Amino acid sequence: MTSAAPGSALFAEGRGGDPGGLRMALSGLTTRGRSFLAAGIAAAVCAYVLGQSDLLRVGLLLSVLPLVCVTVLYRTRHRVTGSRRLSPARVPAGGEARVHLRMDNVSRLPTGLLMLQDRVPYALGPRPRFVLDRIEAGGRREVSYRVRSDLRGRYPLGPLQLRLTDPFGMCELTRSFSAYDTLTVIPRVEPLPSVRLGGDAKGYGDGRQRSLALAGEDDVIPRGYRYGDDLRRVHWRSTARHGELMVRREEQPQRARCTVLLDTRAVAFLGAGPDSAFEWAVSGAASVLVHMLERGFSVRLLTDTGSSVPGEGSDGFAGASQEAADAAGMMMDTLAVIDHSDGAGLSRAYDVLRGGIEGLLVAFIGDLDDAQAAVLARMRHRSGAAVAFLLDSGVWGREPGDAAGPLQQHGERLRMLREAGWTAVAVPRGAPAAELWQQADRERTGVVAGSDGEAWS
């Protein structure tokens, strides 16, 4: 089998003169074919010993039939291309995707009965199997199946396997296509209510992208005149100095920024599975990222290891509105495969934030000791506003019927963060992210009303 095109492959039988292929064809004898061959050989031996010519003819017939089927199947030439299409290729955890398979017979001969099987990981369900009737020359067949996973990740689909059999069921030959596709299962994204978010760095404006002034890129440095520029922006002094018409670039206010910090330390989370605390944190981070991008913020994803996504820009933020969809897809793909880190602290993330005021900071944090709580508290000074969602592994690891444990286990951490200026919210087991988002808004509003009167913009 050789690849014919992206997402397709070529299946061919009967290239001729290939001893290895003939041996493979013989190994494809089914139980029925092996039984016929064994019965025929036994009958022939008995006929020779007993001198029964009629029994010998029966034995030869039983022996020759499976061998003839193997030869015919081996010599038969079939050229079949297969393609796979995912709809969609990226689904949230718990969602379903449909896989469409198409088989085309590109040879001049019709095929026999074909059995089609696609390889899928165990997490997506059982392997789909289909029986395709005779495909005429130049004809095609289309089948589809559904896949679903409650666990995020990237799952390979394929390669396709075709099984060709003879009409008597004596022999089966299996060939695999070379192409495969990947299904990306991203975290669940919960719609968040619109709240008044603030704490932007000075000069960041109201958090919405402002339109450029008239035409062209805006900056404080004059540039050459372009067709469509307003003549009122002509900078005559620069025009005289450069000998060509120059226009002013007006300053463009920067977009509001938001950094989503996701704690991935293995020591901070206990348990696994779709209902674990870590999966809630990943889903919550995904929800906030999508929500802030929709509101026009420049957003980035930061982990405790200090790595950020996306990082193509000079400042590491996803900025322009035309890049919002690409940035969201990039961060969702990252969250689809993100796993626990071996780190024990948040110092690397603090070093990234230490470079300057980063606007709004939203953190999803697991268990903290005194040292890491202090590091997290200092991050508040590197942002305009900070919201932390704390997940206690002791609370999340408790069975629903168990008695409630003391919430004071991480109450001290919440108090420390709030004293440092964080809006810290404890995350109960299975709590909806939208409700906690509103709770953070209410707590932030209450803190502000009781202090300096600053409002979330």
Side-chain angles (χ1 to χ4, degrees):
M1 175 178 305
T2 57
S3 179
S8 65
L10 183 65
F11 175 85
E13 288 293 341
R15 299 186 181 276
D18 183 7
L22 183 58
R23 287 194 297 268
M24 185 177 297
L26 288 173
S27 65
L29 283 172
T30 63
T31 303
R32 179 184 300 177
R34 295 176 187 274
S35 300
F36 268 66
L37 184 60
I41 294 175
V45 172
C46 292
Y48 177 77
V49 173
L50 300 176
Q52 298 291 329
S53 58
D54 294 337
L55 183 59
L56 179 60
R57 285 192 290 269
V58 173
L60 291 177
L61 176 62
L62 295 177
S63 302
V64 169
L65 182 59
L67 297 179
V68 170
C69 292
V70 169
T71 304
V72 172
L73 198 61
Y74 171 70
R75 298 294 298 178
T76 301
R77 296 177 181 270
H78 294 299
R79 293 172 59 86
V80 180
T81 61
S83 62
R84 183 190 299 103
R85 179 172 57 87
L86 303 181
S87 177
R90 182 189 289 122
V91 295
E96 286 187 349
R98 182 167 288 275
V99 183
H100 302 268
L101 304 176
R102 190 177 106 176
M103 308 303 299
D104 294 272
N105 183 12
V106 297
S107 63
R108 300 187 213 178
L109 297 176
T111 68
L113 189 67
L114 297 178
M115 286 174 283
L116 180 65
Q117 174 180 277
D118 202 7
R119 292 184 179 180
V120 299
Y122 176 78
L124 298 183
R127 289 187 178 184
R129 294 179 174 88
F130 304 94
V131 177
L132 303 182
D133 294 332
R134 175 180 176 273
I135 304 179
E136 64 279 4
R140 69 177 56 169
R141 297 289 185 271
E142 294 186 5
V143 293
S144 64
Y145 65 93
R146 294 179 297 178
V147 291
R148 178 182 180 275
S149 175
D150 292 327
L151 299 175
R152 56 185 176 80
R154 292 173 62 87
Y155 299 96
L157 299 178
L160 279 170
Q161 286 185 330
L162 269 182
R163 186 177 300 171
L164 184 66
T165 183
D166 64 281
F168 299 102
M170 298 289 182
C171 182
E172 290 181 353
L173 294 181
T174 302
R175 293 293 184 270
S176 295
F177 293 89
S178 59
Y180 67 92
D181 295 275
T182 301
L183 175 68
T184 303
V185 181
I186 62 176
R188 292 185 179 92
V189 176
E190 184 176 345
L192 301 180
S194 298
V195 297
R196 302 177 63 194
L197 300 172
D200 304 323
K202 295 180 179 180
Y204 275 65
D206 61 356
R208 299 181 181 273
Q209 186 180 19
R210 300 183 182 182
S211 58
L212 301 176
L214 300 179
E217 291 181 314
D218 291 343
D219 198 359
V220 294
I221 303 175
R223 59 167 174 81
Y225 174 82
R226 299 173 185 171
Y227 179 78
D229 287 336
D230 194 333
L231 293 178
R232 290 175 297 180
R233 297 173 56 198
V234 173
H235 195 269
W236 297 109
R237 183 178 301 176
S238 298
T239 299
R241 183 167 58 251
H242 291 85
E244 60 176 331
L245 202 59
M246 306 291 291
V247 295
R248 295 188 305 272
R249 293 179 175 178
E250 298 179 0
E251 182 180 3
Q252 178 189 4
Q254 292 179 295
R255 292 158 53 94
R257 292 179 172 182
C258 175
T259 297
V260 178
L261 173 60
L262 176 61
D263 184 8
T264 63
R265 297 171 299 138
V267 297
F269 296 93
L270 299 177
D275 297 328
S276 63
F278 181 68
E279 293 301 323
W280 191 98
V282 174
S283 177
S287 302
V288 173
L289 288 170
V290 173
H291 178 74
M292 301 308 290
L293 281 172
E294 290 176 348
R295 292 203 58 195
F297 276 65
S298 295
V299 180
R300 73 172 172 185
L301 171 65
L302 179 65
T303 67
D304 57 286
T305 61
S307 60
S308 61
V309 179
E312 285 74 11
S314 58
D315 54 4
F317 286 83
S321 59
Q322 60 266 24
E323 300 174 353
D326 295 337
M330 187 183 305
M331 287 184 281
M332 290 300 104
D333 289 343
T334 300
L335 290 176
V337 297
I338 200 167
D339 202 354
H340 291 294
S341 68
D342 297 331
L346 302 172
S347 57
R348 292 183 181 179
Y350 175 74
D351 292 338
V352 175
L353 296 174
R354 192 167 58 179
I357 301 300
E358 301 291 345
L360 177 65
L361 175 61
V362 182
F364 294 85
I365 307 296
D367 294 335
L368 294 171
D369 55 21
D370 292 338
Q372 301 312 314
V375 173
L376 187 63
R378 291 197 300 271
M379 291 183 187
R380 171 63 181 87
H381 304 294
R382 305 298 174 185
S383 62
V387 181
F389 297 95
L390 269 64
L391 296 93
D392 182 14
S393 296
V395 174
W396 281 78
R398 188 177 62 246
E399 295 297 330
D402 295 345
L407 298 179
Q408 291 81 1
Q409 294 179 358
H410 67 299
E412 183 65 23
R413 307 289 182 260
L414 291 170
R415 185 189 61 81
M416 180 186 301
L417 294 179
R418 287 166 180 166
E419 289 179 353
W422 283 82
T423 301
V425 178
V427 180
R429 177 172 178 170
E435 293 183 4
L436 296 178
W437 189 247
Q438 289 181 320
Q439 178 182 343
D441 179 32
R442 292 191 298 267
E443 292 189 9
R444 172 67 180 173
T445 304
V447 171
V448 169
S451 55
D452 55 4
E454 177 189 358
W456 287 32
S457 60

